Amino acid sequence: MLSSETAPVLEHLTPHDLGTYFRCQHEMELARANHNHAPGALPGTVLTPLNVVPLHHSPLFAPPLGHLLVNEGRLDLTDKDILVYEDEGEDDLPMLFPPERVRPDIRFSGPRSTLGDPELGLRGRPDLIIQRADGSLVPVEYKETHLFVGYHEAHGRLFDTIQVVAECRLVEAAFGRKVPYGIVLYGDEAGGGIHEGWVRIPYGEAEQSWLRVALRQVREDRERAPVPAERNCGGCEPNSNGLCRYAAARYEGPHRHHEFFASRRP
């Protein structure tokens, strides 16, 4: 009798993990350790060894960017588009649709609202999923706090693009329908909408291949080295809590001691 082979258990990753890893692998480790522990318990362990050598840039290469469509102004919705999914854990999402065009898919509500792809070991919740007039599904990642002033690398936030590529895969796996593209929607509540904009990110064979390689690279990285740079460290949540020993720019505010994590290493 032939013995059945058990598939290896993949490390659980989210679209947000991928985007954070692209910016700084160590930030991803600290954030996961801090967020994935029970209330009142000590944070979890991190893979980054104490003698790690910091990197100058992330080893994760960018996804294909040749066919991005950058648009200023409001999202191009029509009266035939409907909202079929909204992340119930987000309180600040924009109201893009009137009530009669909000028709949530009951299969993905409540405790089932986290979308999963068992094949790639990917789980997460897009901010919104829109069903367009042609029946296609489009995930939307909303970034309220980032003004849209052109689209370039300094503002350009490639980690937003990475997050949306992964969300396209989640929607495709969960809903069983091909996803042609995803959207990063940049809002500007403080400016009255004068700097709104959105980026349409295609999702095809090239993006799917990139995602598979990226997930494998993250899982094979057992060091998760830091990438200290002011552009990374200034907006890093673990650094703002005083948890990163490698930060190039310290957040000036209340800190928790970074040895808190070091003490939890096996």
Side-chain angles (χ1 to χ4, degrees), residues 60 62 66 69 80 103 149 156 180 188 250:
L60 183 62
L69 291 180
K80 301 292 186 182
R103 304 172 198 169
V149 186
D188 175 23
R250 289 289 177 192

Side-chain angles (χ1 to χ4, degrees), residues 196-210:
E196 287 185 339
W198 51 282
V199 182
R200 193 173 87 169
I201 298 156
Y203 182 69
E205 290 185 6
E207 290 75 24
Q208 294 175 38
S209 297
W210 174 87

Side-chain angles (χ1 to χ4, degrees), residues 15-16 83-94 96-97 113 115 124-130 138-144 160 163-164 167 170-171 183-186:
H16 187 265
L83 183 67
V84 297
Y85 174 98
E86 184 173 7
D87 184 356
E88 299 171 352
E90 294 287 345
D91 298 326
D92 59 352
L93 297 179
L96 302 177
F97 295 88
S113 62
L115 308 184
R125 296 195 300 267
D127 286 336
L128 306 166
I129 301 175
I130 296 172
V138 175
V140 176
E141 183 64 26
Y142 178 58
K143 302 298 183 183
E144 176 188 2
D160 292 344
Q163 191 171 343
V164 168
E167 289 174 357
L170 279 177
V171 173
I183 289 172
V184 184
L185 175 61
Y186 294 94

Side-chain angles (χ1 to χ4, degrees), residues 20-21 24-29 55 58-59 221 224-225 227:
T20 307
Y21 182 94
C24 175
Q25 302 92 286
H26 186 54
E27 179 186 351
M28 186 194 82
E29 280 293 288
L55 303 177
S58 171
D221 180 0
R224 311 278 166 88
V227 186

Side-chain angles (χ1 to χ4, degrees), residues 218-232:
V218 173
R219 292 186 174 114
E220 290 177 352
D221 180 0
R222 309 311 294 171
E223 287 202 340
R224 311 278 166 88
V227 186
E230 288 198 19
R231 67 181 180 277
N232 293 338

Side-chain angles (χ1 to χ4, degrees), residues 6-248:
T6 303
V9 178
L10 296 175
E11 178 186 8
H12 165 78
L13 292 171
T14 70
H16 187 265
D17 288 338
L18 276 179
T20 307
Y21 182 94
F22 180 79
R23 184 170 54 215
C24 175
Q25 302 92 286
H26 186 54
E27 179 186 351
M28 186 194 82
E29 280 293 288
L30 292 175
R32 280 157 54 100
N34 192 36
H35 293 161
N36 296 339
H37 69 281
L42 292 174
T45 58
V46 297
L47 289 180
T48 310
L50 293 174
N51 61 347
V52 68
V53 177
L55 303 177
H56 293 295
H57 56 79
S58 171
L60 183 62
F61 62 95
L65 299 173
H67 298 91
L68 292 181
L69 291 180
V70 181
N71 307 270
E72 293 189 14
R74 302 293 173 95
L75 191 58
D76 68 337
L77 298 174
T78 73
D79 58 6
K80 301 292 186 182
D81 298 326
I82 61 174
L83 183 67
V84 297
Y85 174 98
E86 184 173 7
D87 184 356
E88 299 171 352
E90 294 287 345
D91 298 326
D92 59 352
L93 297 179
M95 296 181 63
L96 302 177
F97 295 88
E100 63 271 17
R101 283 165 49 207
V102 177
R103 304 172 198 169
D105 190 316
I106 60 173
R107 295 175 300 169
F108 306 105
S109 59
R112 298 167 295 180
S113 62
T114 299
L115 308 184
D117 177 9
E119 180 187 347
L120 296 187
L122 193 64
R123 289 175 61 82
R125 296 195 300 267
D127 286 336
L128 306 166
I129 301 175
I130 296 172
Q131 181 175 300
R132 306 302 310 241
D134 63 0
S136 62
L137 297 175
V138 175
V140 176
E141 183 64 26
Y142 178 58
K143 302 298 183 183
E144 176 188 2
T145 58
H146 302 285
L147 304 186
F148 187 86
V149 186
Y151 190 81
H152 51 84
E153 188 170 353
H155 163 73
R157 300 174 57 85
L158 288 177
F159 37 91
D160 292 344
T161 301
I162 288 170
Q163 191 171 343
V164 168
V165 168
E167 289 174 357
C168 286
R169 169 68 190 198
L170 279 177
V171 173
E172 191 171 76
F175 285 76
R177 281 200 242 170
K178 185 175 176 57
V179 173
Y181 60 88
I183 289 172
V184 184
L185 175 61
Y186 294 94
D188 175 23
E189 284 193 0
I194 60 174
H195 292 303
E196 287 185 339
W198 51 282
V199 182
R200 193 173 87 169
I201 298 156
Y203 182 69
E205 290 185 6
E207 290 75 24
Q208 294 175 38
S209 297
W210 174 87
L211 179 60
R212 289 178 179 274
V213 172
L215 289 169
R216 184 169 64 248
Q217 180 174 332
V218 173
R219 292 186 174 114
E220 290 177 352
D221 180 0
R222 309 311 294 171
E223 287 202 340
R224 311 278 166 88
V227 186
E230 288 198 19
R231 67 181 180 277
N232 293 338
C233 304
C236 171
E237 182 181 344
N239 178 38
S240 72
N241 291 325
L243 300 174
C244 182
R245 66 177 67 239
Y246 307 100

